[in-house]
């Protein structure tokens, strides 16, 4: 792989990202611009932006890596990522828009009228965001290492710095344009090598023995629910993964805020249809890399599997063609890290800004500061935590780490949102208990994974894919505790529900929670 | 109900909305469509996994060339996700939004 060419590709992506970011700066002026782009982005732009933001290192590199090692079961990652959007759309998107809240903690506060529940949610947003940012930084480190041989810290630092600059400069409005651009870049980068390979194969000047690789010893790999790659209890693991992805998406901080950037509910639905088409199109490609990887890069199965997408072009076409395609893929990978990290950083920074920073800044400066500056400091903090975590933790599969973030979200925000929107008798104590029980259980599993998971059998399966037990546990806790504490059903519960379920244009005092 | 302080016109509107049969009907209709649909499509995903585990022969059955039933079903997961979304959007545009608009006109007519 030619590092000069790849570095040029990565450099161009960075320049374009900052350039579009600066262009956005000129049109983002108010707080509403910063957070939700003033709710004025058209469905098509917004759908590209959502997809651009959603397709992270885990999708671009991780899915192919997991399929390469573990076989067909891992295709559920791509199905699950897509279905999660559908769940979000039909169950929570519309009521949440109507709540007028900008963020998950805002929603928690209006629904449960409790500063404590709000604080728990803020903590969870930062936690889930950090868990999700970690693999983005790792992916960046890995890509830089594959391209140049530099230590992983370098790539991670590059992404961290650029994201902070971009977010601090332009907020959501500029991010929307950056994300939209990056979706199309990612799709092009991933699809082009596959088409070039297909052309070479059809014209017969290249031996591509895809089908041979699926014979013999590899047959087990192609079979669903096999234990290829050393994963025990495949049925449990697959179910657990599916649950996490289906129900976790609605609780991801950077995903939810995107639905506010639509001007109305109808546009939000249009957006989702386009998003699903765009995601489906993208996810056709990673499995192809994995299947080709089985024949052309078998050494990666036991090595750096997450680099298969980066390595494959130069393995198939030694020489300039391979170098060019390799550079394109590396650039696409960087677009993936940058876009997801930017979206997450905006979401986390929003929460840090509102819940931790403002009151302290006001006390320190006597109110003499710009609200936008507080957001900028928050953006810096939002990236510092995962960067430190990245330096402290060891190598984990990219898609697996992201899967854990989904599991935590499915075990905390999913019960809070679904029950909070549909069940009037959910009490504040119940909400807090559910968030704490689900959060502690799922985070404990995530932490064990980061430190070092058990090597085999049920303990490993339960810790690697915790959602199947932590999510029901959280739902049960909310229901039981709410039944036991009817006195802590918030006084305005009926009122909140009317607001959540009345069509948007009806004027029932829906002003967003005023920013302090 | 706790939010029924007398003399507060805004809260009276809330109460009216909450108690109006049209509002309950709207919510009920939403739930009657969305919850079963969600259940159904989740069942479809989970059945696929079960089939892969307990009926591998069926899934490996070759339809044409190297294309197996399992492969077709797998691609079907994407197609069905998309189909369900289109169905929901059509329903929301054609049924839900007009009903909601009707309710809105009614409420605004009354409070003006």
């Amino acid at each position: 792989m030619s590092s000069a060419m790849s570095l040029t590709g990565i450099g161009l992506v960075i320049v374009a990202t900052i350039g579009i970011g600066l262009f956005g700066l000129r049109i983002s002026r108010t707080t509403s611009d910063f957070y939700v782009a003033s709710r004025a982005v058209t469905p098509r732009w917004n759908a590209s932006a959502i997809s651009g933001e959603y397709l992270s290192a885990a999708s671009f590199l991780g899915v192919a890596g997991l399929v390469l090692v573990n076989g067909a079961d891992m295709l559920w990652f791509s199905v699950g990522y897509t279905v999660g959007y559908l769940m979000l759309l039909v169950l929570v998107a519309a009521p949440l828009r109507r709540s007028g809240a900008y963020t998950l903690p805002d929603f928690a506060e209006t629904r449960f009228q409790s500063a404590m529940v709000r604080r728990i949610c803020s903590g969870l947003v930062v936690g889930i965001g950090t868990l999700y940012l970690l693999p983005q930084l790792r992916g960046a480190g890995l890509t830089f290492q594959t391209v140049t041989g530099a230590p992983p810290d370098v790539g991670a630092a590059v992404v961290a710095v650029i994201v902070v600059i971009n977010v601090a400069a332009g907020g959501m409005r500029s991010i929307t344009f950056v994300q939209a651009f990056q979706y199309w870049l990612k799709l092009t980068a991933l699809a082009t090598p596959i088409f070039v390979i297909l052309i070479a194969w059809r014209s017969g000047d290249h031996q591509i023995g895809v089908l041979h690789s699926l014979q013999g010893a590899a047959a087990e790999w192609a079979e669903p629910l096999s234990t290829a790659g050393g994963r025990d209890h495949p049925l449990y693991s697959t179910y657990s993964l599916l649950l996490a992805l289906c129900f976790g998406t609605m609780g991801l901080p950077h995903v939810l805020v995107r639905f506010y950037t639509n001007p109305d509910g109808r546009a939000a639905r249009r957006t989702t249809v386009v998003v699903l088409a765009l995601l489906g199109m993208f996810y056709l490609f990673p499995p192809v890399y994995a299947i080709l990887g089985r024949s052309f890069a078998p050494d990666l199965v036991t090595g750096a599997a997450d680099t298969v997408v980066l390595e494959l072009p130069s393995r198939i076409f030694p020489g300039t063609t391979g170098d060019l395609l390799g550079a394109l893929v590396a650039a696409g990978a960087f677009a993936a890290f940058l876009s997801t990290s930017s979206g997450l950083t905006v979401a986390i920074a929003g929460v840090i800004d509102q819940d931790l920073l403002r009151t302290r800044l006001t006390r320190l400066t006597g109110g003499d500061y710009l609200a936008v500056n507080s957001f900028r400091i928050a953006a810096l903090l939002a990236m510092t935590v995962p960067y430190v975590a990245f330096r402290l933790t060891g190598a984990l599969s990219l898609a697996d780490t992201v899967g854990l973030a989904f599991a935590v979200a499915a075990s905390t925000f999913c019960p809070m949102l679904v029950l909070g929107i549909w069940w009037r008798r959910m009490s504040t104590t119940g909400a807090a208990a559910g968030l704490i029980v689900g959060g502690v259980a799922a985070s404990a599993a995530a932490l064990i994974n980061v430190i070092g998971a058990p090597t085999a059998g049920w303990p490993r399966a339960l810790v690697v894919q915790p959602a199947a037990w932590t999510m029901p546990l959280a739902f049960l806790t909310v229901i039981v505790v709410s039944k036991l504490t009817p006195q802590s059903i918030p006084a305005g519960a009926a009122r909140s529900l009317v607001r959540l379920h009345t069509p948007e244009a009806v004027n029932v005092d829906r002003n967003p929670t005023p920013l302090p | 109900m706790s939010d029924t302080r007398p003399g507060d016109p805004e809260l009276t509107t809330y109460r009216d909305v909450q108690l109006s049969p049209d509002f309950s009907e709207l919510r009920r209709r939403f739930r009657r469509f969305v919850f079963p649909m969600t259940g159904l499509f989740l069942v479809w995903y989970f059945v696929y996994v079960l089939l892969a585990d307990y009926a591998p022969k069926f899934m490996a059955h070759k339809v044409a060339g190297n294309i197996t039933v399992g492969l077709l079903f797998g691609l079907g997961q994407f197609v069905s996700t998309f189909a369900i979304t289109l169905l929901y959007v059509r329903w929301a545009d054609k049924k839900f939004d007009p009903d909601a608009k009707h309710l809105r006109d009614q409420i605004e007519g009354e409070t003006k």
Side-chain angles (χ1 to χ4, degrees), chain B residues 7-70:
Chain B
D8 186 335
E10 192 188 286
L11 287 189
T12 320
T13 314
Y14 274 116
R15 234 177 81 78
D16 286 349
V17 175
Q18 169 79 7
L19 294 179
S20 90
D22 282 343
F23 179 71
S24 344
E25 175 60 26
L26 192 70
R27 268 186 68 188
R28 211 160 54 88
R29 200 174 293 168
F30 186 79
R31 272 189 285 199
R32 258 210 320 240
F33 181 80
V34 164
F35 287 1
M37 189 185 79
T38 312
L40 264 178
F41 74 70
L42 281 179
V43 165
W44 153 238
Y45 294 118
F46 282 69
V47 162
Y48 179 87
V49 180
L50 274 184
L51 278 177
D53 197 30
Y54 293 111
K57 285 234 172 67
F58 169 68
M59 295 298 254
H61 180 79
K62 284 189 175 141
V63 180
N66 276 320
I67 297 169
T68 61
V69 174

Side-chain angles (χ1 to χ4, degrees), chain A residues 236 240 243-244 403-415 433-446 462-478:
Chain A
Y236 164 83
S240 196
L243 279 175
L404 287 169
F406 275 85
V408 178
S411 316
T412 52
F413 287 132
C414 172
L435 288 171
I436 291 171
V437 169
V440 167
S443 316
L462 291 175
V463 163
V464 174
Q465 300 293 351
W469 60 276
T470 54
M471 196 180 104
L473 184 70
F475 266 98
L476 207 67
T477 309
V478 174

Side-chain angles (χ1 to χ4, degrees), chain A residues 28 30-36 167-172 346 372 375-376:
Chain A
S28 92
T30 64
T31 310
S32 176
D33 263 344
F34 256 74
Y35 283 115
V36 293
V167 170
M172 186 68 110
V346 170
V372 163
F375 181 84
R376 287 178 176 149

Side-chain angles (χ1 to χ4, degrees), chain A residues 28-353:
Chain A
S28 92
R29 282 285 172 267
T30 64
T31 310
S32 176
D33 263 344
F34 256 74
Y35 283 115
V36 293
S38 303
R39 294 195 176 204
V41 180
T42 63
R44 218 172 289 172
W45 268 105
N46 213 3
S48 300
I50 290 177
S51 313
E53 184 165 32
Y54 196 52
L55 296 169
S56 68
S59 303
F60 199 92
L61 302 177
V63 171
L66 277 187
V67 176
L68 177 73
V69 178
N70 300 291
D73 291 356
M74 297 299 129
L75 293 175
W76 285 107
F77 264 99
S78 33
V79 175
Y81 286 147
T82 321
V83 176
Y85 252 102
L86 185 53
M87 302 294 287
L88 170 70
L89 171 75
V90 299
L91 290 181
V92 301
L96 213 67
R97 275 183 57 84
R98 295 185 198 125
S99 75
Y102 277 124
T103 63
L104 282 162
D106 280 350
F107 170 79
E109 196 182 7
T110 22
R111 173 67 179 81
F112 300 107
Q113 289 158 14
S114 151
M116 187 196 40
V117 176
R118 184 190 175 104
R119 269 197 297 274
I120 300 174
C121 287
S122 306
L124 282 168
V125 166
V126 175
I128 293 170
T130 303
L131 204 53
Y132 212 121
L133 275 170
L134 193 62
Q136 311 308 321
L137 295 177
R138 186 163 307 290
L142 203 62
T143 307
F144 233 67
Q145 194 174 26
T146 311
V147 170
T148 63
D153 299 355
V154 181
V158 169
V159 166
V161 169
I162 292 164
V163 167
V164 170
I165 292 176
N166 223 28
V167 170
M172 186 68 110
R173 185 66 167 263
S174 69
I175 292 297
T176 302
F177 292 122
V178 174
Q179 308 282 27
F181 157 73
Q182 275 165 347
Y183 169 78
W184 293 103
L185 180 64
K186 276 183 260 190
L187 185 66
T188 313
L190 205 60
T192 309
I194 297 296
F195 285 117
V196 173
I197 291 168
L198 274 180
I199 292 165
W201 186 28
R202 297 280 301 182
S203 64
D205 59 355
H206 209 287
Q207 284 296 316
I208 296 174
V210 183
L211 299 172
H212 298 296
S213 72
L214 298 179
Q215 310 292 327
E220 190 203 20
W221 170 84
E223 198 119 302
L225 299 180
S226 67
T227 46
R231 297 205 171 205
D232 288 343
H233 305 288
L235 187 63
Y236 164 83
S237 299
T238 309
Y239 270 170
S240 196
L241 174 70
L242 255 178
L243 279 175
L245 299 179
C246 287
F247 292 98
T249 308
M250 67 177 78
L252 295 178
H254 65 304
V255 168
L256 213 50
V257 79
R258 277 277 156 209
F259 272 88
Y260 293 110
T261 53
N262 286 299
D264 57 44
R266 207 184 158 87
R269 291 197 293 264
R270 290 271 163 290
T271 303
T272 311
V273 176
V274 184
V275 166
L276 287 178
L278 294 179
L279 291 183
M281 196 153 66
F282 182 88
Y283 282 126
L284 288 175
F285 296 100
V288 181
Y289 278 90
I291 294 167
L292 290 170
R294 276 269 153 177
S295 356
F296 288 94
D299 55 304
L300 293 180
V301 173
T302 48
D306 281 331
T307 60
V308 64
V309 170
L310 300 167
E311 291 274 2
L312 201 65
S314 57
R315 298 280 183 106
I316 294 181
F317 304 105
T320 320
T321 320
D323 285 348
L324 273 174
L325 293 175
L328 184 64
V329 175
F334 252 75
F337 315 140
L338 287 176
S339 54
T340 304
S341 309
S342 305
L344 281 164
T345 308
V346 170
I348 304 173
V351 167
I352 295 182
D353 174 28

